[in-house]
Amino acid sequence: MVYKAIGLMSGSSLDGLDIAYVHLHETAGKWTYEILHTDCQPYTSEWAEKLSNAVHLPAVAYQLLHTAYGHYTGAAVNKFIEDHHLQHQVHLVASHGHTTFHLPAQKMTAQLGDGAAIAAETALPVVSDLRALDIALGGQGAPIVPIGEKLLLQQYNMFLNLGGIANLSFNEPDKYIAFDVCPANRVLNLLIAREGKSFDEGGQLAATGIVHQALLHELNELDYYRQAFPKSLANDFGTAIVYPIIQQYQLSTAAALATYVAHIALQLRYAAEKVLSATLPVAEKKLLITGGGAFNDFMVAQISKQLAHVGIAAVVPDAQLVSYKEALVMALIGVLRWREEYNVLSSVTGATRNTVNGALWLGGEA
């Protein structure tokens, strides 16, 4: 069976809406994929500001933004379909939305982007609210990408996503473990913004900085890093907690970037050590790095150096998979929802059971 789906992802780094049109092949329970067309539609400064400030809105204004962003997303899908001549080819759209509130301890998570609005704009079946049932059953609702890693990328046994937040996944023989490790690009992009840039291309400025040991120590002592997995982070951990700590030291941008890259690399090493000591070591420690941070050569080099201490070999794949792995997995999650099959793993999130997540909106006429 072949499913032709569009996956949508908006990450905490606010660089834009990632769109991937993929073919997902299922034969006797085995899945393969083809990524046929991709695009990242950058947010205007107005939309980036709206999404960034959404958590501060009163209730009615927030709900209006939820609706407006859904219509915006649907229009973006229509443009993508037109640009790539995909009319009458797409079976369904799966939208992650843009995460605002994430409070798993209170059994609540919220993503902007009304699925009904997307379905109304596109006249296609749309799957949204991809974390809700897992959260309701006591899970972290994150990470949800591991189902795609498990079904589509079996040649690797470890995965690192370097987006706004860095998260690790471990495909152990008897279960799947994954959790958020630390803020990543969200903080790095805030730091480089001092220089009037949206990101530190290749990590060039960070590479010139000297690590500030006192700041590095303070960051490494944050309480979150002592928590046991499964665990997950809200976006404001980086913006409201980590970034103000860095600001207090009044470092040059280069030094701040270098120190935070060192922090990311160390926390990834420590997290990997904890998992590998708590479970049976995998035979071959081969880790796939994706997400926007995989283009930061300096950061990848620092991470690879730290992970080598625990025998982990890091691999950066082709640029398309680096950029659109999450959108690919959102498409798979939507297809699994359509098939009424598990699409979020309780061994990852800590929920009471595996779940079939997603609200289904039928945008076409009956």
Side-chain angles (χ1 to χ4, degrees):
M1 184 69 185
V2 179
Y3 297 91
K4 302 175 181 180
I6 286 177
L8 306 175
M9 182 69 198
S10 177
S12 57
S13 55
L14 288 169
D15 52 353
L17 179 66
D18 289 339
I19 308 176
Y21 172 65
V22 305
H23 286 183
L24 295 159
H25 305 254
E26 185 274 333
T27 305
K30 302 292 184 182
W31 290 87
T32 57
Y33 71 91
E34 297 174 82
I35 301 176
L36 280 80
H37 301 288
T38 57
D39 189 19
C40 179
Q41 296 194 11
Y43 291 127
T44 63
S45 57
E46 180 184 3
W47 267 110
E49 184 177 357
K50 286 180 179 179
L51 296 175
S52 180
N53 294 329
V55 295
H56 305 298
L57 294 175
V60 172
Y62 180 90
Q63 285 301 120
L64 288 171
L65 180 60
H66 178 57
T67 300
Y69 183 63
H71 285 285
Y72 167 89
T73 301
V77 171
N78 287 340
K79 182 179 184 302
F80 178 85
I81 288 173
E82 183 177 347
D83 289 347
H84 297 285
H85 310 291
L86 298 175
Q87 293 86 347
H88 311 297
Q89 297 182 52
V90 180
H91 293 157
L92 65 85
V93 176
S95 176
H96 176 273
H98 188 83
T99 298
T100 49
F101 302 101
H102 185 66
L103 303 167
Q106 285 78 47
K107 296 187 177 181
M108 192 277 279
T109 189
Q111 285 76 41
L112 289 170
D114 181 19
I118 301 172
E121 288 284 343
T122 62
L124 290 168
V126 172
V127 179
S128 63
D129 301 314
L130 306 181
R131 304 175 185 268
L133 185 56
D134 182 86
I135 285 276
L137 288 168
Q140 291 287 314
I144 60 171
V145 170
I147 188 67
E149 296 164 346
K150 183 178 181 66
L151 295 180
L152 302 178
L153 298 165
Q154 295 179 352
Q155 65 270 43
Y156 301 95
N157 44 38
M158 298 180 182
F159 302 88
L160 167 61
N161 178 62
L162 283 174
I165 294 170
N167 51 64
L168 278 171
S169 304
F170 302 80
N171 190 3
E172 292 291 297
D174 57 341
K175 64 179 179 178
Y176 210 102
I177 299 169
F179 53 94
D180 290 343
V181 176
C182 62
N185 295 342
R186 191 75 174 97
V187 172
L188 294 174
N189 292 349
L190 285 173
L191 293 171
I192 196 66
R194 302 172 180 174
E195 309 300 320
K197 299 179 181 179
S198 56
F199 63 97
D200 183 16
E201 185 171 357
Q204 294 177 21
L205 186 56
T208 67
I210 298 174
V211 173
H212 192 283
Q213 294 300 324
L215 172 57
L216 181 62
H217 176 75
E218 183 171 351
L219 292 172
N220 287 334
E221 290 299 307
L222 289 169
D223 288 341
Y224 177 79
Y225 303 128
R226 297 187 181 89
Q227 295 178 21
F229 53 83
K231 58 182 179 177
S232 61
L233 283 169
N235 292 335
D236 62 3
F237 183 82
T239 57
I241 297 176
V242 171
Y243 183 67
I245 291 173
I246 299 172
Q247 289 288 78
Q248 290 175 4
Y249 281 79
Q250 298 183 326
L251 303 178
S252 69
T253 303
L257 288 167
T259 303
Y260 198 70
V261 167
H263 171 67
I264 293 169
L266 279 171
Q267 286 305 320
L268 289 169
R269 174 185 171 179
Y270 297 156
E273 285 177 333
K274 287 178 183 177
V275 173
L276 295 176
S277 64
T279 63
L280 291 174
V282 291
E284 183 184 10
K285 301 173 186 175
K286 190 176 179 183
L287 176 138
L288 183 74
I289 302 179
T290 56
F295 295 116
N296 186 321
D297 298 332
F298 176 71
M299 180 161 59
V300 168
Q302 299 308 303
I303 291 169
S304 299
K305 183 178 178 180
Q306 289 296 334
L307 293 180
H309 287 291
V310 288
I312 297 173
V315 177
V316 177
D318 63 89
Q320 190 177 55
L321 187 57
V322 165
S323 298
Y324 294 98
K325 186 186 92 171
E326 288 192 312
L328 163 67
V329 176
M330 296 311 125
L332 174 67
I333 288 174
V335 167
L336 292 173
R337 166 63 182 87
W338 183 266
R339 289 165 58 100
E340 299 184 357
E341 296 179 2
Y342 294 138
N343 56 12
V344 177
L345 303 171
S346 59
S347 66
V348 170
T349 67
T352 55
R353 60 177 173 84
N354 292 339
T355 47
V356 182
N357 285 257
L360 176 59
W361 308 90
L362 298 177
E365 295 184 9

